[in-house]
Amino acid sequence: MSTTTVVKTAARSGTPAGGGAGPRKPRGLTDNLRAYLLNTPAMVVIGVLVAYPIGYSFWLSLHKYNLKLPALQKFVWFRNYVNLVTDPEFLTSLRVTIAFVVVVLGLTVLLGTTLALVLNETFLGRGVLRSLVLLPWAMPGVVNGLMWRTIFDAKTGPLNGLLYQLGVIDSYQAWLTSPTGAFLITALAQVWNTLPFTVIILLAGLSTIPGELYDAAKVDRAGVFQRFGQVTLPWLLHPLLIVLILETMNAFRAFDTIYVLTGGGPGDATNVIAVLNVKTVLTYTDFGLGSAYSWVITLVTLLVSIGYVSSLYKKGSIEV
Amino acid sequence: MTTAVPSRPLLARLPWRKIVLYTLALFFVLYLVLPFYWIVNLSFMHEVDAASVPPHFLPYHPTLENFLGFVNPTADQALVGSRAVQDTPYALMNSLIVAFSTAVFNLVLGTFAAYSFSRIKFKGSQVLLIVYLMTRMVPGIAIIIPFYLVMRTLHLLDTYGALILSYTTFALPITIWILKDYFRSVPRELEDAARVDRCGWFRMMWSVFLPISAPGLVAAAIFSFMTAWNEFMFALFMTSTISSQTIPVIAANFATDLNTQITLMAASGVVAVAPPLILVLFFQRLILQGMAAGSVKG
């Protein structure tokens, strides 16, 4: 109750900062106090529900801790991490994850840039395409997994039927039971799901290009590709960087679509690190090792996100 | 030669420009729609038709039996996906409650924080804003184990509470970033006027400030709602019975069950995607703005 009163009084007495010119009394402390009071609820939630669990997770990763045998909890230093780097399953999973990230990034950039360029043109039906772009974005990852499962189903999937009828294949293929097939399909599914976000960022980038640049290029009789290389691409580099960073994070921790689509199989062809992590925790209830896994994911993601934040800084997107 | 040509035409003046453009546009329409069309198609089919070779690209004998099964399953349907068919309506209800509560909770917390960033110059505001942004980057899996243990201690496992709290951590940074941008666009004069009228901060917010920021609030609410609706990993860990299992968990049960019916699975997918899809189509413009605004809302 006292909090509310303080906020109220402070709000009433304080003139919003940066408002207009003119002499004003320095009121630093009051403003700071007021701002932090307003931020308290959010900071408490973040602190209790994110900061504390992350620390706790690290602490757990230094322990031998099985949920089913809580009495045997033991501090083991970095044993879990050592076990991790010598575990062939983890190393395979890491390779799969890196390959997954690379393929997903490649396809995302290729398809996303093309689609953004198309949407940046004026043509009949642009509005329709613009709305359709949001369709994959609305799709829950689990449904995305279900969807691609039914499409690549060996018996009832439309792909087999279509290719067979066109004479491309002479017998139905079990796409999802071949390691390469399953791997590529998970990547495809991931790209489909995250494409809208990429397109929106790139489209926002394209819309900031001044039209005069194209006019100038035209006067210089620059061809399509020259114009793309000399005008569009340089302006698109920063949005592309943002896309690369965000999609790297997304792909690195990709879970729900893959879990439903292949469950990590066949063999360990799609056993990306997040899926392996969840399976370790759910199946073996080994919380110590599971935490070590998630700390590897966290470290990579945090490193990448530092890149993200600093690139936003350079662009000036973060202004306070 | 400086006639202002509209800034668009990258491929302009080339005779084949239109051809390429429309071919690409058509390709993308098919790329975006066909996969989704396939599960919609399946969801209206009888199991027999769905299993036919070659596949039917239109439901030959369209039926609602898959959807009706969710309300009143036949003996056959009841066996599918470890009770997933019967559980679907409850899961939908759970998802609605969780997603709606998450959205409201986020708006309340987010409004306070975002207001401070939009109106007050204070020490550490930049750092705090980045802390919120970084929170968004923390992978869910990093906090899931401790989160599970904490919720177990608090006896919140398998309740809405655990889900709402976890989804709040995902959605709060997005909410704050969206709201801060919208709040900045509200003219300060309105607040000053309210202050002259001796109107308290809460009343000013409620009757002047927030109504004006409605588009931002709606955008942020949709983002939170969808985050909560679509999330799977936490739901998988924190729920164990239908008293809190959400629709993605139940939909996944269809996929992991060996003797699943593909048409029922498709119907569950269609049901699960319907609410977010309707929101997106209805609030398209707001969502596009919200996504583009800061590129921070992954």
Side-chain angles (χ1 to χ4, degrees):
Chain A
M1 216 42 232
S2 61
T3 317
T4 15
T5 332
V6 177
V7 173
K8 258 184 177 170
T9 353
R12 214 177 278 146
S13 59
T15 318
R24 218 185 314 132
K25 279 181 285 180
R27 199 182 281 111
L29 187 67
T30 321
D31 274 355
N32 279 346
L33 194 63
R34 200 152 62 99
Y36 279 101
L37 281 173
L38 285 168
N39 272 292
T40 305
M43 289 192 303
V44 168
V45 166
I46 300 275
V48 174
L49 300 176
V50 182
Y52 169 72
I54 284 197
Y56 191 11
S57 167
F58 183 64
W59 181 240
L60 274 175
S61 77
L62 304 179
H63 283 77
K64 187 180 175 62
Y65 181 36
N66 193 313
L67 187 64
K68 285 180 184 148
L69 310 159
L72 296 181
Q73 186 171 357
K74 203 172 85 186
F75 188 74
V76 294
W77 287 103
F78 291 92
R79 184 88 49 80
N80 284 320
Y81 291 93
V82 173
N83 288 344
L84 211 92
V85 271
T86 53
D87 177 8
E89 198 179 16
F90 173 77
L91 295 175
T92 313
S93 165
L94 199 60
R95 265 201 302 278
V96 170
T97 312
I98 291 169
F100 181 77
V101 172
V102 170
V103 174
V104 166
L105 284 185
L107 283 173
T108 303
V109 168
L110 185 74
L111 285 173
T113 312
T114 318
L115 182 48
L117 286 173
V118 168
L119 277 175
N120 199 39
E121 303 283 317
T122 13
F123 61 93
L124 199 68
R126 182 167 85 139
V128 178
L129 189 52
R130 248 184 130 105
S131 336
L132 287 180
V133 166
L134 286 174
L135 167 66
W137 186 71
M139 179 120 1
V142 167
V143 182
N144 191 38
L146 288 181
M147 186 176 86
W148 292 103
R149 243 174 100 111
T150 60
I151 290 173
F152 288 99
D153 190 280
K155 281 193 297 243
T156 60
L159 189 78
N160 267 329
L162 198 66
L163 292 181
Y164 185 78
Q165 280 173 313
L166 291 174
V168 180
I169 49 175
D170 47 16
S171 64
Y172 276 26
Q173 306 290 312
W175 307 100
L176 282 166
T177 52
S178 109
T180 321
F183 175 80
L184 290 176
I185 291 166
T186 52
L188 191 78
Q190 170 81 8
V191 171
W192 192 83
N193 207 192
T194 56
L195 196 68
F197 193 64
T198 302
V199 172
I200 303 303
I201 295 180
L202 294 181
L203 207 51
L206 284 174
S207 69
T208 60
I209 306 179
E212 302 86 58
L213 289 182
Y214 286 118
D215 299 340
K218 264 190 204 166
V219 173
D220 293 345
R221 301 199 159 276
V224 185
F225 293 103
Q226 277 171 304
R227 260 180 282 160
F228 178 75
Q230 287 165 11
V231 182
T232 315
L233 198 57
W235 277 78
L236 219 48
L237 281 182
H238 191 266
L240 273 174
L241 179 67
I242 302 264
V243 164
L244 283 178
I245 293 174
L246 287 174
E247 292 308 324
T248 304
M249 281 193 279
N250 281 339
F252 199 81
R253 58 196 185 194
F255 170 70
D256 40 12
T257 297
I258 303 178
Y259 185 78
V260 172
L261 187 53
T262 64
D268 39 27
T270 60
N271 209 12
V272 293
I273 199 163
V275 172
L276 178 62
N277 190 353
V278 169
K279 285 200 288 196
T280 308
V281 176
L282 283 181
T283 322
Y284 309 113
T285 58
D286 190 337
F287 279 22
L289 187 64
S291 299
Y293 270 114
S294 37
W295 255 86
V296 172
I297 300 182
T298 311
L299 273 184
V300 172
T301 315
L302 282 183
L303 282 180
V304 177
S305 68
I306 288 169
Y308 174 63
V309 171
S310 58
S311 76
L312 280 183
Y313 246 120
K314 273 186 201 132
K315 190 193 172 198
S317 296
I318 297 184
E319 11 83 50
V320 181
Chain B
M1 280 311 283
T2 47
T3 349
V5 182
S7 64
R8 308 296 165 206
L10 172 63
L11 302 167
R13 301 205 309 172
L14 289 156
W16 43 267
R17 173 184 172 268
K18 279 216 150 106
I19 305 169
V20 174
L21 191 58
Y22 279 95
T23 315
L24 282 174
L26 183 69
F27 165 78
F28 279 112
V29 168
L30 295 178
Y31 173 81
L32 294 166
V33 172
L34 279 188
F36 181 60
Y37 169 75
W38 184 251
I39 57 166
V40 176
N41 179 34
L42 278 181
S43 73
F44 288 107
M45 275 195 212
H46 293 281
E47 186 69 12
V48 197
D49 290 339
S52 82
V53 179
H56 295 302
F57 291 93
L58 279 172
Y60 260 26
H61 317 283
T63 173
L64 287 174
E65 72 176 18
N66 299 308
F67 294 100
L68 293 175
F70 294 138
V71 190
N72 189 12
T74 63
D76 220 19
Q77 289 172 330
L79 292 174
V80 169
S82 47
R83 285 186 55 88
V85 182
Q86 295 96 303
D87 289 347
T88 299
Y90 300 99
L92 281 173
M93 185 51 80
N94 291 343
S95 277
L96 270 179
I97 295 171
V98 167
F100 187 77
S101 316
T102 303
V104 172
F105 191 38
N106 264 289
L107 281 190
V108 175
L109 294 179
T111 297
F112 286 115
Y115 181 83
S116 73
F117 290 114
S118 70
R119 285 294 190 263
I120 307 170
K121 264 217 151 52
F122 62 101
K123 277 204 190 91
S125 60
Q126 198 133 337
V127 176
L128 196 55
L129 208 48
I130 287 168
V131 167
Y132 288 139
L133 182 60
M134 294 291 275
T135 310
R136 174 76 192 84
M137 306 300 162
V138 171
I141 198 150
I143 54 173
I144 205 160
I145 293 175
F147 209 91
Y148 177 88
L149 295 173
V150 170
M151 291 301 142
R152 198 175 62 151
T153 314
L154 296 176
H155 299 288
L156 280 177
L157 285 183
D158 205 22
T159 66
Y160 296 145
L163 293 179
I164 296 169
L165 287 176
S166 56
Y167 299 154
T168 298
T169 67
F170 300 160
L172 192 55
I174 309 172
T175 309
I176 293 173
W177 275 75
I178 295 182
L179 288 184
K180 127 188 120 60
D181 288 341
Y182 267 88
F183 285 178
R184 281 192 181 148
S185 66
V186 176
R188 285 163 197 279
E189 291 75 34
L190 289 168
E191 281 170 74
D192 295 339
R195 208 165 284 123
V196 170
D197 291 344
R198 305 208 146 268
C199 177
W201 186 76
F202 280 97
R203 242 190 78 202
M204 183 279 295
M205 287 299 276
W206 186 252
S207 50
V208 181
F209 196 86
L210 293 179
I212 297 174
S213 324
L217 294 169
V218 173
I222 292 174
F223 275 87
S224 321
F225 184 94
M226 297 209 12
T227 307
W229 184 276
N230 294 355
E231 205 283 334
F232 174 59
M233 198 199 286
F234 274 71
L236 187 65
F237 275 76
M238 304 297 158
T239 69
S240 50
T241 71
I242 198 57
S243 60
S244 72
Q245 282 174 324
T246 54
I247 191 70
V249 177
I250 297 301
N253 280 352
F254 281 98
T256 45
D257 193 66
L258 284 175
N259 26 341
T260 201
Q261 286 185 25
I262 207 158
T263 51
L264 272 173
M265 182 164 102
S268 80
V270 171
V271 166
V273 76
L277 196 59
I278 292 168
L279 275 181
V280 162
L281 293 180
F282 202 73
F283 293 103
Q284 231 190 90
R285 199 163 295 244
L286 277 178
I287 288 168
L288 284 170
Q289 279 173 6
M291 280 172 89
S295 315
V296 288
K297 292 110 192 181

